[in-house]
Amino acid sequence: MTTRDILRRARRSLAQAKVRTILTSLAIAVGAFTVTLALAAGEGGRQYTEEMVKTSGDAGSLNVYPKRIEPKNDKLTEYGTAENSPSQRNTLSESDVAKIKKIDGVANVQPIYDIQPRYVTRGDGYKKYVAAVNVKIHRTEMKLSAGSLDDNRIPIGGISVSEELLSSFGFSNATSAIGQKIIINFPKLTASGESTEESFNKTFKIAAVDHGTDATLYYQPSLNISVDDGKEVYDYQMSGSSSDKYDGVVVELKDGVDVKNAKETIAGQNYEVYSLQDIRETLLQMVNIAQWGMVAFGALAILASIFGIINTQYISVLERTQQIGLMKALGARKKDIARLFRYEAAWVGFLGGVAGTVLALLVGFANPLIAKTLGLEKGVELLVFQPLTSLILIIVMMTIAISAGYFPSRKAAKLDPIEALRTE
Amino acid sequence: MIEVKNVTKTYGKKNNAFVALDNVSFTIPDGASVAILGKSGSGKSTLMHAISGLDKPEKGEIIIDGKNILALNQKAIDKFRSRTISFIFQSFFVQANESCYDNVSLPLEISGTAVNRRKKRIEDALTAVELLDKKKSRARDLSGGQKQRLAVARAIVGNPRILFADEPTGNLDSATGQVVEDLLFGYNKDNDVTLIVVTHDPDLAKRCDIQIHIKDGKIESIEGNE
Ligand SMILES: Nc1ncnc2c1ncn2[C@@H]1O[C@H](COP(=O)(O)OP(=O)(O)OP(=O)(O)O)[C@@H](O)[C@H]1O
Ligand SMILES: [Mg+2]
C-alpha cells in the first residue's frame, strides 16, 4: 500500500471516532501548549535581558577597581599589616593604568572620572539647577529622543540631556533643545574632596536628548559629557590633590576576546573586576531555569498523554479486529497494518501539537496586557514565538505519538486473519 | 489448476489434538465452479483457508500454477492473496463506515494498483453488481443483499483468478441469495475464473461443476456434473 493510501485511511478512521480523537489529542495539546508558552516566555525573557544589558552598559568591557581586603579565615585584617590595606590603596594610579594596558586582549583603559558640578544652567537670566553630570566613558547604548551620537559617544564640547530635565531648562520639546547651550560650573576640590570657592564655567552644546527604558537596569536623569571634557574637568577639580588617582577604570577589550578570561587575568593581578557580562549571565541563567521548569511541567503533561494514546490505540485495534483481518486476508502486509496504526497515532500527535501551538499563539495576543500588568513599557513582548521551535515541537509530538502507538500497532500487525475474521 | 495433495491440519496439541483435515487430496481444473459441502464442523472453512494460504496445514501440498503455496514465504503469500485470489464471506465484512467506493478500493490499494487506473475498475465492479448509484453511500446504509453485492464487487475488482466464497448466501433470503449466486456464476463463466463455494445449500451446490463432500475432515465423495 502507498503511504498516501494509508494516510487517507488513517485520517478516515480518526474522523470516524471524532470524540475519541479530539480527547486524545487534547491531552497532547495541553503538553504542547505548556511547552510552547514556556519556550516563548524563555525567549522573551532572554531578549528582554539582552535589551536590559545593552542599555545598562557595555557587556564587552570590564570595570576594574582597587582590590578590597577580604577577611581571612573569618578574621578581619589588622590595620597596617596588609600590604594593600584599604586606606593605603583605595585608588588606582597611572601606573595601574599602564599595567592593565599591557595585559593581553586589552584595547583601551579608560579612567572613571568622577566629576562634581556645583550647578547647571542655560546662562545669565536662567535658573541654576543641581543635577548629576556623568562622563560617558563607554559605548553603552543610549535611547535618543532627538539628536544623534556617533558610536554612542558624546562629541567633544557636546552634552546629552535626559528628556526628563528638559522642562526645568525651559525647553518645550526634545528637538528644540538640540544645539542649545548648557553651562556647568565646576568647583576646585580639596584633597579630602570638599568644594572650594574657586571654580570655572564650561559651556556645552546639546548634542542629544536621551531617555531611559524600563529595560535599563539603573537609569537616572542626568547630563552626560565626553571623555575628553571629563578629563579636563577632572584634572581641574583634582588639581588641589593629585589628579592621577582614580576610583576605578573601565577596560575595553579587543574584539573577540573572551570577557571571562580577561576578567580572570586582570583579577589575578590583584584588582577587583566587575563585568556586566556576569550580571547578564546570572539573569539569563534565572530565565533559563524558569523556562525549563515550565517545560518540565509540559513534559509531564505529554508523558500522561502518552498513556492516553496507548490506551486509545489498543481500544481501536480491538474494535477494528475485523477490518484488520479482512485487510490481511486480502493480502495486506504486516508492515502496512502497522503503518496504518502508526500514522493514526502520528495524526493524533500532529493534531495535538498544532492545537497546543495555536492556543499558545493566541495567548501571545495578550502580550500588551502582560506588559501593562507588569508595568513594562509599551511594545515590550514577554512572549516571543519562533516558527522553527513550533515546527520542531510538532514533529516531536508526532514522534512521541508514533512511539506510543508502537505496541498497539504491533498487536494489530500480528493478528491472525482467521481469528480476526471469526469475531463478529 | 489447483492440486491439493495429502493435506492434514490438526488443531491443538497432544491430548487435545483435533484433526480438522485428514489426508485430503483432489484437483480442481482452471475455470471450474466447485461446491464444498458438509455438515457444520466438518472442516469446510478450514479447507478453504488452507487453499487460500490463510492457514498452514502441517502436512501436504497445495499446488497452484505449479507452485506449492504452503512453501512460500509470507511476502509471496501476501502477493498471491492480493493478486490471484479473492474472498466473499458469509457475514459480508464490508467496512460499515466507509463509502461503497472506498470499500471496493481497498483490494486495489493493497495490491498497489496505480491511482489513475483505480477509478474505472472500481466503477466497473460497482456497475457489475448494480451498485454504481450507491458509490458515495456509506456501506452501513445498505441492505443485507446490497452489502453482499458490495462484497462481490470488492472481490472481483482486482480481477482474481480464484474466487472463494464461504457461505455467500447464508445470511440472505432466497430471492436475494439468488441474485448473489447469479452474479458469482456469471462472473465464473464470463471470465473463466475458478469459483470455490462453501455451502450447505444443495440447490447452489447443484449449479457447480464439481461437488466435494467432506465429513469429519475427510473427503467423502467428489461428484462432477459433466
Ligand atoms: N482454531 C481452532 N482451534 C481448534 N479447533 C478448531 C479451530 N478452528 C476450527 N476448529 C475445529 O475444526 C473443525 C472444523 O472447523 P471448520 O470451521 O472448518 O468447520 P466448517 O465445516 O466450516 O463448519 P461451519 O459449517 O459451521 O462453518 C471444527 O470442529 C472446529 O471446532
Ligand atoms: Mg465454516
Side-chain angles (χ1 to χ4, degrees), chain B residues 41 43-46 49 90 166-167 198 200:
Chain B
K44 307 182 294 293
S45 296
T46 308
H49 293 150
Q90 179 171 4
D166 195 349
E167 313 225 20
V198 171
H200 285 107

Side-chain angles (χ1 to χ4, degrees), chain B residues 40-77:
Chain B
S40 182
S42 55
K44 307 182 294 293
S45 296
T46 308
L47 178 60
M48 189 187 98
H49 293 150
I51 305 175
S52 58
L54 280 176
D55 206 351
K56 283 231 161 164
E58 63 275 11
K59 261 190 232 151
E61 290 180 348
I62 291 164
I63 297 166
I64 297 174
D65 299 335
K67 264 187 235 148
N68 179 9
I69 62 156
L70 298 184
L72 295 178
N73 63 20
Q74 191 59 46
K75 191 173 177 180
I77 288 181

Side-chain angles (χ1 to χ4, degrees), chain A residues 266-285:
Chain A
I266 298 174
Q269 308 245 356
N270 232 11
Y271 294 103
E272 206 70 41
V273 189
Y274 300 95
S275 82
L276 203 55
Q277 191 69 18
D278 297 339
I279 300 175
R280 174 178 168 269
E281 274 168 17
T282 311
L283 289 174
L284 284 180
Q285 201 178 11

Side-chain angles (χ1 to χ4, degrees), chain B residues 155-171:
Chain B
I156 64 177
V157 72
N159 290 331
R161 303 232 331 284
I162 307 167
L163 195 54
F164 292 95
D166 195 349
E167 313 225 20
T169 57
N171 277 347

